[in-house]
Coordinates of all heavy atoms in Angstrom, one line a residue:
T327 N 113.2 86.3 117.4 CA 112.7 87.7 117.7 C 111.8 88.1 116.5 O 110.6 88.3 116.7 CB 113.9 88.6 117.8 OG1 114.7 88.5 116.6 CG2 114.7 88.4 119.1
Y328 N 112.4 88.3 115.4 CA 111.6 88.8 114.2 C 111.4 87.7 113.2 O 112.3 86.9 112.9 CB 112.3 89.9 113.5 CG 111.5 90.5 112.3 CD1 110.5 91.4 112.5 CD2 111.8 90.0 111.0 CE1 109.8 91.9 111.4 CE2 111.1 90.5 109.9 CZ 110.1 91.4 110.1 OH 109.3 91.8 109.1
G329 N 110.1 87.6 112.7 CA 109.8 86.7 111.6 C 109.0 87.5 110.6 O 108.4 88.5 110.9
K330 N 109.2 87.1 109.3 CA 108.5 87.9 108.3 C 107.0 87.8 108.4 O 106.3 88.6 107.9 CB 108.9 87.3 106.9 CG 108.6 88.3 105.7 CD 109.4 89.6 105.9 CE 109.2 90.6 104.7 NZ 110.1 90.4 103.7
D331 N 106.5 86.9 109.3 CA 105.1 86.9 109.6 C 104.6 88.3 110.1 O 103.5 88.7 109.8 CB 104.8 85.9 110.8 CG 105.5 84.6 110.7 OD1 106.7 84.6 110.5 OD2 104.8 83.5 110.9
M332 N 105.5 89.0 110.7 CA 105.2 90.3 111.3 C 104.9 91.3 110.3 O 104.4 92.4 110.6 CB 106.2 90.7 112.3 CG 106.3 89.8 113.5 SD 107.8 89.8 114.5 CE 107.6 91.4 115.3
Q333 N 105.2 91.1 109.0 CA 104.8 92.0 108.0 C 103.3 92.1 107.9 O 102.8 93.1 107.4 CB 105.4 91.5 106.6 CG 105.2 92.5 105.5 CD 106.0 92.1 104.3 OE1 107.2 92.3 104.3 NE2 105.4 91.6 103.2
E334 N 102.6 91.0 108.4 CA 101.2 91.0 108.3 C 100.5 91.9 109.4 O 99.3 91.8 109.6 CB 100.7 89.6 108.4 CG 101.0 88.7 107.3 CD 100.4 89.2 106.0 OE1 99.2 89.4 105.9 OE2 101.2 89.3 105.0
D335 N 101.3 92.7 110.1 CA 100.8 93.5 111.1 C 100.2 94.8 110.6 O 99.4 95.5 111.3 CB 101.8 93.8 112.2 CG 103.1 94.5 111.7 OD1 103.1 94.8 110.5 OD2 104.0 94.8 112.5
K336 N 100.6 95.2 109.4 CA 100.3 96.6 109.0 C 98.9 96.7 108.3 O 98.1 97.6 108.6 CB 101.4 97.1 108.0 CG 102.7 97.2 108.7 CD 103.8 97.4 107.8 CE 105.2 97.1 108.5 NZ 105.3 95.7 108.9
E337 N 98.6 95.9 107.4 CA 97.3 96.0 106.7 C 96.1 96.0 107.6 O 95.1 96.8 107.5 CB 97.2 95.0 105.6 CG 98.1 95.2 104.4 CD 97.9 94.2 103.3 OE1 98.4 93.1 103.5 OE2 97.4 94.5 102.2
P338 N 96.1 95.1 108.6 CA 94.9 95.1 109.6 C 94.8 96.4 110.3 O 93.7 96.9 110.5 CB 95.2 93.9 110.5 CG 96.2 93.0 109.8 CD 97.0 93.9 108.9
I339 N 95.9 96.9 110.8 CA 95.8 98.1 111.6 C 95.5 99.3 110.7 O 94.7 100.2 111.1 CB 97.0 98.4 112.5 CG1 96.7 99.4 113.6 CG2 98.2 98.9 111.6 CD1 97.8 99.5 114.7
F340 N 96.0 99.4 109.5 CA 95.6 100.5 108.6 C 94.1 100.5 108.3 O 93.5 101.5 108.4 CB 96.4 100.4 107.3 CG 97.9 100.6 107.4 CD1 98.8 100.2 106.4 CD2 98.4 101.3 108.5 CE1 100.1 100.4 106.5 CE2 99.8 101.6 108.6 CZ 100.7 101.1 107.6
D341 N 93.6 99.3 108.0 CA 92.2 99.1 107.7 C 91.3 99.5 108.9 O 90.3 100.2 108.8 CB 91.9 97.7 107.2 CG 90.5 97.6 106.8 OD1 90.1 98.1 105.7 OD2 89.7 96.9 107.5
A342 N 91.7 99.0 110.1 CA 91.0 99.2 111.3 C 91.0 100.7 111.7 O 89.9 101.3 112.0 CB 91.5 98.4 112.5
H343 N 92.1 101.3 111.6 CA 92.2 102.8 111.9 C 91.3 103.6 110.9 O 90.5 104.4 111.4 CB 93.6 103.2 111.7 CG 93.8 104.7 111.8 ND1 93.9 105.4 113.0 CD2 93.9 105.7 110.9 CE1 94.0 106.7 112.8 NE2 94.1 106.9 111.5
D344 N 91.4 103.3 109.6 CA 90.6 104.0 108.7 C 89.1 103.8 108.9 O 88.3 104.7 108.8 CB 90.9 103.6 107.2 CG 92.3 104.0 106.8 OD1 92.9 104.9 107.5 OD2 92.8 103.5 105.8
T345 N 88.7 102.5 109.2 CA 87.3 102.2 109.4 C 86.8 102.9 110.6 O 85.6 103.4 110.5 CB 87.2 100.6 109.6 OG1 87.7 100.0 108.4 CG2 85.8 100.2 109.9
V346 N 87.5 102.9 111.7 CA 87.0 103.6 112.9 C 86.9 105.1 112.7 O 86.0 105.8 113.2 CB 87.8 103.2 114.2 CG1 87.3 104.0 115.4 CG2 87.6 101.7 114.4
M347 N 87.9 105.7 112.1 CA 87.9 107.1 111.8 C 86.7 107.5 111.0 O 86.0 108.5 111.2 CB 89.2 107.5 111.1 CG 90.4 107.6 111.9 SD 90.4 108.9 113.1 CE 90.7 110.3 112.1
L348 N 86.4 106.7 109.9 CA 85.2 106.9 109.1 C 83.9 106.7 109.9 O 83.0 107.5 109.8 CB 85.2 106.0 107.9 CG 84.0 106.1 106.9 CD1 83.9 107.5 106.4 CD2 84.1 105.1 105.8
S349 N 83.9 105.7 110.7 CA 82.7 105.5 111.5 C 82.4 106.6 112.5 O 81.3 107.0 112.7 CB 82.8 104.1 112.3 OG 82.9 103.0 111.4
L350 N 83.5 107.1 113.2 CA 83.3 108.2 114.1 C 82.8 109.5 113.4 O 82.0 110.2 113.9 CB 84.7 108.5 114.8 CG 85.1 107.6 115.9 CD1 86.6 107.8 116.2 CD2 84.3 107.8 117.1
A351 N 83.4 109.7 112.2 CA 83.0 110.9 111.4 C 81.5 110.8 111.0 O 80.7 111.7 111.1 CB 83.8 111.0 110.2
A352 N 81.1 109.6 110.6 CA 79.7 109.3 110.2 C 78.8 109.5 111.4 O 77.7 110.1 111.3 CB 79.5 108.0 109.6
M353 N 79.1 108.9 112.5 CA 78.3 109.0 113.7 C 78.2 110.5 114.2 O 77.1 110.9 114.6 CB 78.8 108.1 114.8 CG 77.8 108.0 116.0 SD 76.2 107.4 115.6 CE 76.5 105.6 115.5
T354 N 79.3 111.2 114.2 CA 79.3 112.6 114.6 C 78.4 113.4 113.7 O 77.6 114.2 114.1 CB 80.7 113.1 114.6 OG1 81.5 112.4 115.4 CG2 80.7 114.6 115.0
G355 N 78.4 113.1 112.4 CA 77.6 113.8 111.4 C 76.1 113.4 111.7 O 75.2 114.3 111.6
M356 N 75.8 112.2 111.9 CA 74.4 111.7 112.2 C 73.9 112.4 113.4 O 72.7 112.8 113.4 CB 74.4 110.2 112.4 CG 74.6 109.4 111.1 SD 74.9 107.7 111.5 CE 73.5 107.2 112.5
L357 N 74.6 112.5 114.5 CA 74.2 113.2 115.7 C 73.7 114.6 115.4 O 72.7 115.1 116.0 CB 75.2 113.1 116.8 CG 75.4 111.8 117.4 CD1 76.8 111.7 118.1 CD2 74.3 111.5 118.4
G358 N 74.5 115.3 114.6 CA 74.1 116.7 114.3 C 73.0 116.8 113.3 O 72.4 117.9 113.1
D359 N 72.7 115.7 112.7 CA 71.6 115.7 111.6 C 70.3 115.0 112.1 O 69.5 114.7 111.2 CB 72.2 115.0 110.4 CG 71.4 115.3 109.1 OD1 71.0 116.4 108.9 OD2 71.2 114.3 108.3
T360 N 70.2 114.8 113.4 CA 69.1 114.1 113.9 C 68.0 115.0 114.6 O 68.4 115.9 115.3 CB 69.5 113.0 114.9 OG1 70.5 112.2 114.3 CG2 68.3 112.2 115.4
T361 N 66.8 114.8 114.3 CA 65.7 115.4 115.0 C 65.0 114.4 115.8 O 64.6 113.3 115.3 CB 64.7 116.0 114.0 OG1 65.4 117.0 113.2 CG2 63.6 116.7 114.7
F362 N 64.8 114.6 117.1 CA 64.2 113.6 118.0 C 62.7 114.0 118.2 O 62.4 115.2 118.3 CB 64.9 113.6 119.3 CG 66.3 112.9 119.2 CD1 67.5 113.7 119.1 CD2 66.4 111.5 119.2 CE1 68.7 113.1 119.0 CE2 67.7 110.9 119.1 CZ 68.8 111.7 119.0
N363 N 61.9 113.0 118.2 CA 60.5 113.1 118.4 C 60.1 113.0 119.9 O 59.9 112.0 120.5 CB 59.7 112.0 117.7 CG 58.2 112.1 117.6 OD1 57.7 112.9 118.5 ND2 57.6 111.5 116.7
K364 N 60.2 114.2 120.5 CA 60.0 114.2 122.0 C 58.6 113.7 122.4 O 58.5 113.1 123.5 CB 60.3 115.7 122.5 CG 61.7 116.2 122.3 CD 61.9 117.4 123.1 CE 61.2 118.6 122.4 NZ 61.5 119.9 123.1
E365 N 57.6 114.0 121.7 CA 56.3 113.6 122.0 C 56.1 112.1 122.0 O 55.5 111.5 122.9 CB 55.2 114.3 121.1 CG 55.1 115.8 121.2 CD 56.3 116.5 120.6 OE1 57.0 115.9 119.8 OE2 56.5 117.7 121.0
R366 N 56.7 111.5 121.0 CA 56.6 110.0 120.9 C 57.4 109.4 122.0 O 56.9 108.4 122.6 CB 57.1 109.6 119.5 CG 57.1 108.1 119.3 CD 55.7 107.5 119.4 NE 55.7 106.0 119.2 CZ 55.4 105.5 118.0 NH1 55.1 106.3 117.0 NH2 55.4 104.2 117.8
M367 N 58.5 109.9 122.3 CA 59.4 109.3 123.3 C 58.7 109.4 124.7 O 58.6 108.5 125.5 CB 60.7 109.9 123.4 CG 61.6 109.6 122.2 SD 63.3 110.1 122.4 CE 63.1 111.9 122.5
A368 N 58.1 110.6 124.9 CA 57.4 110.8 126.2 C 56.2 109.9 126.4 O 56.0 109.4 127.5 CB 57.0 112.3 126.3
A369 N 55.5 109.7 125.3 CA 54.3 108.8 125.4 C 54.8 107.4 125.7 O 54.1 106.7 126.6 CB 53.6 108.9 124.1
D370 N 55.9 107.0 125.1 CA 56.3 105.6 125.4 C 57.0 105.5 126.8 O 57.0 104.4 127.4 CB 57.4 105.2 124.4 CG 56.7 104.7 123.1 OD1 55.5 104.8 123.0 OD2 57.4 104.3 122.1
A371 N 57.5 106.6 127.3 CA 58.1 106.6 128.6 C 57.2 106.1 129.7 O 57.7 105.6 130.8 CB 58.7 107.9 129.0
G372 N 55.9 106.4 129.6 CA 55.0 106.0 130.6 C 54.4 104.6 130.4 O 53.6 104.1 131.3
K373 N 54.7 103.9 129.3 CA 54.2 102.6 129.0 C 54.9 101.5 129.9 O 55.9 101.8 130.4 CB 54.3 102.3 127.5 CG 53.4 103.2 126.7 CD 53.6 102.8 125.2 CE 52.7 103.6 124.3 NZ 52.9 103.3 122.8
G374 N 54.2 100.4 129.9 CA 54.9 99.2 130.5 C 55.0 99.4 132.0 O 55.9 98.8 132.6
F375 N 54.2 100.2 132.6 CA 54.2 100.4 134.1 C 55.6 100.8 134.5 O 56.1 100.3 135.5 CB 53.8 99.1 134.8 CG 52.5 98.5 134.3 CD1 52.5 97.4 133.5 CD2 51.3 99.1 134.4 CE1 51.4 96.8 133.0 CE2 50.1 98.6 133.9 CZ 50.1 97.4 133.2
S376 N 56.2 101.8 133.8 CA 57.6 102.2 134.0 C 57.8 102.9 135.3 O 59.0 103.0 135.8 CB 58.0 103.1 132.9 OG 57.3 104.3 132.9
T377 N 56.7 103.4 136.0 CA 57.0 104.0 137.3 C 56.7 103.1 138.5 O 56.6 103.5 139.6 CB 56.1 105.3 137.4 OG1 54.7 104.9 137.3 CG2 56.4 106.3 136.4
A378 N 56.7 101.8 138.2 CA 56.4 100.8 139.3 C 57.5 100.9 140.4 O 57.2 100.7 141.6 CB 56.3 99.4 138.7
T379 N 58.7 101.1 140.0 CA 59.8 101.2 141.0 C 59.6 102.4 141.9 O 59.9 102.3 143.1 CB 61.2 101.2 140.3 OG1 61.3 100.1 139.4 CG2 62.3 101.2 141.3
D380 N 59.0 103.5 141.3 CA 58.8 104.7 142.1 C 57.7 104.3 143.1 O 57.8 104.8 144.3 CB 58.3 105.8 141.2 CG 59.3 106.2 140.2 OD1 60.2 107.1 140.5 OD2 59.3 105.7 139.1
L381 N 56.7 103.5 142.8 CA 55.7 103.1 143.7 C 56.3 102.3 144.9 O 56.1 102.5 146.1 CB 54.6 102.3 143.0 CG 53.6 101.6 143.9 CD1 52.9 102.6 144.8 CD2 52.6 100.9 143.0
A382 N 57.2 101.3 144.5 CA 57.8 100.5 145.5 C 58.7 101.4 146.4 O 58.7 101.2 147.7 CB 58.7 99.4 144.9
D383 N 59.5 102.3 145.9 CA 60.3 103.2 146.7 C 59.5 104.0 147.6 O 59.9 104.3 148.8 CB 61.2 104.1 145.8 CG 62.2 103.3 145.0 OD1 62.5 102.2 145.4 OD2 62.8 103.9 144.0
W384 N 58.3 104.5 147.1 CA 57.4 105.3 148.0 C 56.9 104.5 149.2 O 56.9 105.0 150.3 CB 56.3 105.8 147.1 CG 55.3 106.8 147.9 CD1 55.4 108.1 147.9 CD2 54.2 106.4 148.6 NE1 54.4 108.7 148.7 CE2 53.6 107.6 149.1 CE3 53.6 105.2 149.0 CZ2 52.5 107.7 149.9 CZ3 52.4 105.3 149.7 CH2 51.9 106.5 150.2
L385 N 56.6 103.3 148.9 CA 56.1 102.4 150.0 C 57.2 102.2 151.1 O 56.9 102.2 152.3 CB 55.6 101.1 149.5 CG 54.4 101.1 148.5 CD1 54.2 99.7 147.9 CD2 53.2 101.5 149.3
V386 N 58.4 102.1 150.6 CA 59.5 102.0 151.6 C 59.8 103.3 152.3 O 59.9 103.3 153.5 CB 60.8 101.5 150.9 CG1 62.0 101.5 151.8 CG2 60.6 100.1 150.3
R387 N 59.8 104.4 151.5 CA 60.2 105.7 152.1 C 59.1 106.3 153.0 O 59.4 106.8 154.1 CB 60.5 106.6 150.9 CG 61.1 107.9 151.3 CD 61.6 108.7 150.1 NE 60.5 109.0 149.2 CZ 60.3 108.5 148.0 NH1 61.2 107.6 147.6 NH2 59.3 108.8 147.3
V388 N 57.9 106.1 152.6 CA 56.8 106.8 153.3 C 56.1 105.9 154.4 O 55.9 106.3 155.5 CB 55.7 107.3 152.3 CG1 54.5 108.0 153.1 CG2 56.4 108.4 151.4
L389 N 55.9 104.6 154.0 CA 55.2 103.7 154.9 C 56.2 102.9 155.7 O 55.8 102.1 156.6 CB 54.3 102.8 154.1 CG 53.2 103.5 153.3 CD1 52.2 102.5 152.7 CD2 52.4 104.5 154.2
G390 N 57.5 103.0 155.4 CA 58.4 102.2 156.2 C 58.4 100.7 155.9 O 58.9 99.9 156.7
M391 N 57.9 100.3 154.8 CA 57.7 98.9 154.4 C 59.1 98.3 154.0 O 59.8 99.0 153.3 CB 56.7 98.8 153.3 CG 56.2 97.4 152.9 SD 55.0 97.5 151.6 CE 53.6 98.3 152.4
P392 N 59.4 97.1 154.4 CA 60.6 96.5 153.9 C 60.5 96.4 152.3 O 59.4 96.1 151.8 CB 60.6 95.1 154.5 CG 59.8 95.2 155.7 CD 58.7 96.3 155.4
F393 N 61.7 96.5 151.7 CA 61.6 96.6 150.2 C 61.0 95.4 149.6 O 60.2 95.4 148.6 CB 63.0 96.8 149.6 CG 62.9 97.0 148.1 CD1 62.5 98.2 147.5 CD2 63.2 95.9 147.2 CE1 62.4 98.4 146.1 CE2 63.1 96.1 145.9 CZ 62.7 97.3 145.3
R394 N 61.3 94.2 150.1 CA 60.7 93.0 149.5 C 59.2 92.9 149.6 O 58.5 92.5 148.7 CB 61.3 91.7 150.2 CG 62.8 91.4 149.7 CD 62.8 91.2 148.2 NE 64.2 91.3 147.7 CZ 64.5 91.6 146.4 NH1 63.5 91.9 145.6 NH2 65.7 91.6 146.0
D395 N 58.7 93.5 150.7 CA 57.2 93.6 150.9 C 56.7 94.6 149.9 O 55.6 94.4 149.3 CB 56.9 93.9 152.3 CG 57.2 92.9 153.3 OD1 57.5 91.7 152.9 OD2 57.2 93.2 154.5
A396 N 57.4 95.7 149.8 CA 57.0 96.7 148.8 C 57.0 96.2 147.4 O 56.1 96.5 146.6 CB 57.9 98.0 149.0
H397 N 58.0 95.4 147.1 CA 58.1 94.8 145.8 C 56.9 93.9 145.5 O 56.3 93.9 144.4 CB 59.4 94.0 145.7 CG 59.7 93.5 144.3 ND1 59.1 92.4 143.8 CD2 60.6 93.9 143.4 CE1 59.6 92.1 142.6 NE2 60.5 93.0 142.3
H398 N 56.4 93.2 146.5 CA 55.3 92.3 146.4 C 54.0 93.1 146.2 O 53.2 92.8 145.3 CB 55.2 91.4 147.6 CG 54.0 90.4 147.6 ND1 54.0 89.3 146.8 CD2 52.8 90.5 148.2 CE1 52.8 88.7 146.9 NE2 52.1 89.4 147.8
V399 N 53.8 94.1 147.0 CA 52.6 95.0 146.9 C 52.6 95.6 145.5 O 51.5 95.7 144.8 CB 52.6 96.0 148.0 CG1 51.5 97.1 147.7 CG2 52.4 95.4 149.3
T400 N 53.7 96.1 145.1 CA 53.8 96.8 143.7 C 53.4 95.8 142.6 O 52.7 96.2 141.7 CB 55.2 97.4 143.5 OG1 55.4 98.4 144.6 CG2 55.2 98.1 142.2
G401 N 53.9 94.6 142.7 CA 53.6 93.6 141.7 C 52.1 93.4 141.7 O 51.5 93.2 140.6
A402 N 51.4 93.4 142.8 CA 50.0 93.2 142.8 C 49.3 94.3 142.2 O 48.3 94.2 141.5 CB 49.5 93.0 144.3
V403 N 49.8 95.6 142.4 CA 49.2 96.8 141.8 C 49.3 96.7 140.3 O 48.4 97.0 139.6 CB 49.8 98.0 142.4 CG1 49.4 99.3 141.6 CG2 49.5 98.2 143.9
V404 N 50.5 96.3 139.9 CA 50.8 96.2 138.4 C 49.8 95.2 137.8 O 49.2 95.5 136.7 CB 52.2 95.8 138.1 CG1 52.4 95.4 136.7 CG2 53.1 97.0 138.5
K405 N 49.6 94.1 138.5 CA 48.7 93.1 137.9 C 47.3 93.6 137.8 O 46.5 93.4 136.8 CB 48.7 91.8 138.8 CG 47.9 90.7 138.2 CD 48.0 89.4 139.1 CE 47.3 88.2 138.4 NZ 45.9 88.5 138.0
M406 N 46.8 94.4 138.8 CA 45.5 95.0 138.8 C 45.4 95.9 137.6 O 44.4 95.9 136.9 CB 45.2 95.7 140.1 CG 43.9 96.5 140.1 SD 43.7 97.5 141.5 CE 43.2 96.2 142.7
A407 N 46.4 96.8 137.5 CA 46.3 97.7 136.4 C 46.3 97.0 135.0 O 45.6 97.4 134.1 CB 47.5 98.7 136.4
E408 N 47.1 96.0 134.9 CA 47.2 95.2 133.7 C 45.8 94.6 133.4 O 45.3 94.6 132.2 CB 48.3 94.1 133.8 CG 48.6 93.4 132.5 CD 49.8 92.5 132.6 OE1 49.9 91.8 133.7 OE2 50.6 92.5 131.7
D409 N 45.2 94.0 134.4 CA 43.9 93.4 134.2 C 42.8 94.4 133.8 O 41.9 94.1 133.1 CB 43.4 92.7 135.5 CG 44.3 91.4 135.8 OD1 45.0 91.0 134.9 OD2 44.3 91.0 137.0
K410 N 42.9 95.6 134.3 CA 42.0 96.6 134.0 C 42.3 97.4 132.7 O 41.5 98.2 132.3 CB 41.9 97.7 135.2 CG 41.2 97.2 136.5 CD 41.3 98.2 137.6 CE 40.5 97.8 138.8 NZ 39.1 97.9 138.6
G411 N 43.5 97.1 132.2 CA 43.9 97.8 131.0 C 44.2 99.3 131.2 O 44.0 100.1 130.4
L412 N 44.7 99.6 132.4 CA 45.0 101.0 132.8 C 46.5 101.2 133.1 O 47.2 100.2 133.4 CB 44.2 101.3 134.1 CG 42.7 101.2 134.0 CD1 42.0 101.5 135.4 CD2 42.1 102.2 133.0
G413 N 46.9 102.4 133.1 CA 48.2 102.7 133.6 C 48.2 102.8 135.2 O 47.1 102.9 135.8
L414 N 49.3 102.8 135.8 CA 49.4 102.9 137.3 C 48.7 104.2 137.8 O 48.0 104.2 138.8 CB 50.8 102.9 137.8 CG 51.6 101.6 137.5 CD1 53.0 101.6 138.1 CD2 50.8 100.4 138.2
D415 N 49.0 105.3 137.1 CA 48.4 106.6 137.5 C 46.9 106.7 137.2 O 46.3 107.7 137.5 CB 49.2 107.8 137.1 CG 49.4 107.8 135.5 OD1 49.1 106.8 134.9 OD2 49.9 108.8 135.0
D416 N 46.4 105.8 136.4 CA 44.9 105.8 136.1 C 44.1 105.0 137.2 O 42.9 105.1 137.2 CB 44.7 105.1 134.8 CG 45.3 105.9 133.6 OD1 45.3 107.2 133.7 OD2 45.8 105.3 132.7

Side-chain angles (χ1 to χ4, degrees):
T327 53
Y328 180 84
K330 200 60 180 269
D331 316 51
M332 292 161 75
Q333 184 168 291
E334 293 298 309
D335 59 0
K336 296 169 194 66
E337 288 180 287
I339 199 169
F340 291 160
D341 185 72
H343 173 81
D344 292 346
T345 297
V346 176
M347 286 290 286
L348 178 59
S349 296
L350 284 166
M353 186 60 78
T354 301
M356 286 167 55
L357 284 161
D359 197 42
T360 303
T361 302
F362 290 98
N363 187 340
K364 295 192 288 185
E365 293 75 19
R366 178 60 179 264
M367 290 189 299
D370 280 1
K373 292 180 179 178
F375 312 107
S376 64
T377 57
T379 306
D380 297 274
L381 172 56
D383 289 346
W384 185 91
L385 293 172
V386 172
R387 189 172 59 251
V388 177
L389 300 185
M391 190 178 292
F393 183 79
R394 284 301 167 203
D395 294 345
H397 188 283
H398 180 78
V399 169
T400 301
V403 171
V404 168
K405 185 175 186 307
M406 174 186 284
E408 191 173 43
D409 291 343
K410 289 176 174 285
L412 300 173
L414 294 182
D415 54 350
D416 295 322

